[in-house]
Amino acid sequence: MLDVRRLRLLRELARRGTIAAVAEALSFSPSAVSQQLAVLEREAGLPLLERTGRRVRLTPAGQNLVRHAEAVLERLEQADADLAEARGGLAGALRIGAFPTATRAIVPAALVALARRHPGLEPMVCETDPAAVAHALRAGDLDVALVHSYDFVPAEREPGLTTEPLYGEAMYLAEPAGGTPVPPGAPGTPEAPGRPGAEAGGPPARDLPQPPPAPDQDAVLRAHARSPWITATPGTLCHTMTTRACQAAGFTPRVRHQVDEFATVLALVAAGQGVAVVPQLGVAGPADPAVHLTRLVMQRRTGLAFRSGAGTHPAVAAFGAALRAAVPPDLAGSRAEA
C-alpha cells in the first residue's frame, strides 16, 4: 500500500522542482525527503525519479503517480470536510491568506460576520502575495486564500487547487494632477477620486465613482512612455501586469520606484515621482487633488482559492459566504473568474 505522506512529497517535488525546495516548504531536512522518496520508489516497485548530478526529475511513472496522488489528496480533503460537517459546530483555527487591499476593504467585515455566526471558529489572517498562495495551500500553511489575476496576467490552473470567483475591479492610471497631459486626439480622461493611504484605511470602494472606460487604453499609457513609472516589486503579479500592459501599448516602462503598498504608490504619484497603474480598491476614498486618475479598460479579478475537495468543508464554506456578503455592491456587479 502506498503511503499518502510520501505521495504528498512526490507531488510537491513535481511542483517545486528540487528536493531542497520541498524540504524547506514542508519543514523536513533534504536527507529526510530523499529517504522518504526512496521508500516510495521501493513501494512502487520501479523508478520514480531520474537523478542527474544535483538535479532530479520525475520519470513517466512518477508523473503518472502524481496524477493519482492529486486524486487521492482531493478525496481525503472531501472526507475531512464530511467529517467536519458530521461533528457539527465550527471550532478551531482557519488559516486565511489575503493581499493588502482585500484585507483592508473586505476581510474585516467578513470576519465580523463569521465571529457572529460561528464564535468557536478562530480565523487567522496572514498577508500573502497571490504568487505564493498555491505553495502555501498545498503545504497546508493556509486553508483558504484570496488570489487575484489581471487581464495581462491570467491565472494559471494550479493542480490540486480550486478557485471560485468573487469580484472584479476597475483599473486606473494614476498621474500627478499637473503632470504630463494626454496628447491631442487621445481619449478623454474622466477624473475619479483617489486617496494616498488607501491601503492603510478609509472608506470601501463603493465611494469611488465609475466613469466609462477609456476607449483607447494603449493611447493613455503611451502618453507616459517617457515618464518615470512606479511599479510593484519584481516577481509580483502587479509588477508583471504594469510591465505587460505598457509593452502591449508599444513601450517598456522606465521604472523609478518599486513599491508594493498602494498607499505609498499614490503618495509618490502625488509628489510628482511618476505614474502608476492601480486597482479600484487601492484608490477608494476621498479625492486627493494632487492625483489624477484615468479609468482603463483592463480589470483585476479576485477569487477564493482552497485545496481541491475542501470547498464543502464547513469552515471554508462559512468564510466564503461571509466574504461574498462583505463585497461592496460596485464590485459584486463585476464578477469574473479569477
Side-chain angles (χ1 to χ4, degrees), residues 118-284:
H118 307 286
L121 195 62
E122 185 182 0
M124 304 167 64
V125 177
C126 177
E127 187 174 305
T128 308
D129 187 274
V133 159
H135 287 331
L137 284 171
R138 281 196 291 259
D141 297 329
L142 297 174
D143 299 309
V144 64
L146 283 88
V147 293
H148 62 231
S149 64
Y150 296 91
D151 288 343
F152 287 96
V153 194
E156 297 182 3
R157 183 186 177 279
E158 289 285 353
L161 302 183
T162 298
T163 302
E164 296 180 350
L166 286 175
Y167 61 85
E169 291 173 73
M171 299 293 294
Y172 294 86
L173 175 75
E175 62 181 314
T180 305
V182 177
T189 56
E191 293 190 17
R195 177 185 182 271
E199 283 282 4
R206 63 174 63 92
D207 292 336
L208 184 66
Q210 294 296 296
D216 190 345
Q217 176 173 289
D218 290 350
V220 172
L221 296 176
R222 271 198 306 271
H224 295 283
R226 296 185 180 182
S227 299
W229 280 77
I230 305 164
T231 69
T233 53
T236 61
L237 300 182
C238 295
H239 177 273
T240 304
M241 171 272 300
T242 297
T243 301
R244 290 183 180 176
C246 290
Q247 289 174 341
F251 69 98
T252 298
R254 181 168 61 88
V255 178
R256 175 179 289 178
H257 303 293
Q258 295 178 342
V259 178
D260 288 326
E261 186 187 50
F262 290 120
T264 307
V265 170
L266 292 175
L268 290 171
V269 171
Q273 290 295 299
V275 299
V277 176
V278 293
Q280 184 174 342
L281 287 180
V283 297

